[in-house]
Amino acid sequence: MKKTIEVVGAIIIDNGKILCAQRGPEKSLANFWEFPGGKVEANETPIEALKREVVEELLITVTIEDQAFESTKYEYDFGSIHLTTFICHLQQGEPKLTEHEAIVWLPVEELESLEWAPADIPTVEKLKTIKL
């Protein structure tokens, strides 16, 4: 049985657009797009992990809505990912590239123009059903 990895993703909204981040060519899932975030460490809540990850990856702070937006599981060759995404609002800073290849702000209706990591696709689909 594959190891389950608990990860969180930030649906960062600013001025009606969502921040999308492209994984680097040297990483697993190379060049796919994702919602920024990462692994939940031991003794961390998902929200604590997400706050830490957006500071580490993008050098910004966000406010995070209390309720998870979407929770999905996806089996990759390296393990099973349990991804929980949260709606976030940019609070301070301009996102900077520290771990990603590229970032782009897109309106919901343009999210499908990107090639998303499989675990992120259910969140993209659900975003199409809400008003930001």
Side-chain angles (χ1 to χ4, degrees):
M1 185 164 165
K2 291 182 180 177
K3 179 172 86 170
T4 297
I5 304 165
E6 296 289 331
V7 296
V8 287
I11 305 162
I12 302 171
I13 301 170
D14 191 43
N15 294 319
K17 293 185 177 181
I18 296 172
L19 183 72
C20 310
Q22 186 179 34
R23 295 180 64 82
E26 72 290 346
K27 297 188 178 269
S28 62
L29 303 169
N31 302 314
F32 278 103
W33 291 82
E34 65 181 359
F35 297 103
K39 292 180 191 171
V40 178
E41 302 293 344
N43 303 316
E44 234 180 5
T45 68
I47 289 177
E48 289 169 342
L50 199 52
K51 285 181 180 178
R52 176 183 51 75
E53 287 285 350
V54 296
V55 169
E56 289 175 4
E57 290 186 4
L58 300 167
L59 306 176
I60 59 172
T61 55
V62 296
T63 55
I64 302 171
E65 294 188 5
D66 292 334
Q67 295 295 317
F69 179 74
E70 182 67 275
S71 181
T72 60
K73 288 188 178 177
Y74 193 84
E75 294 282 334
Y76 291 104
D77 57 354
F78 56 82
S80 178
I81 294 290
H82 178 218
L83 170 65
T84 305
T85 53
F86 292 84
I87 299 280
C88 304
H89 302 277
L90 183 62
Q91 186 177 10
Q92 186 176 346
E94 275 296 315
K96 308 238 182 331
L97 293 174
T98 65
E99 292 190 24
H100 291 93
E101 188 71 14
I103 54 174
V104 63
W105 292 95
L106 292 178
V108 169
E109 56 273 8
E110 292 180 26
L111 293 177
E112 288 185 314
S113 67
L114 303 176
E115 189 174 1
W116 288 90
D120 290 273
I121 292 172
T123 297
V124 172
E125 292 296 318
K126 188 173 179 181
L127 282 166
K128 294 189 310 187
T129 68
I130 67 161
K131 181 159 177 63
L132 297 180

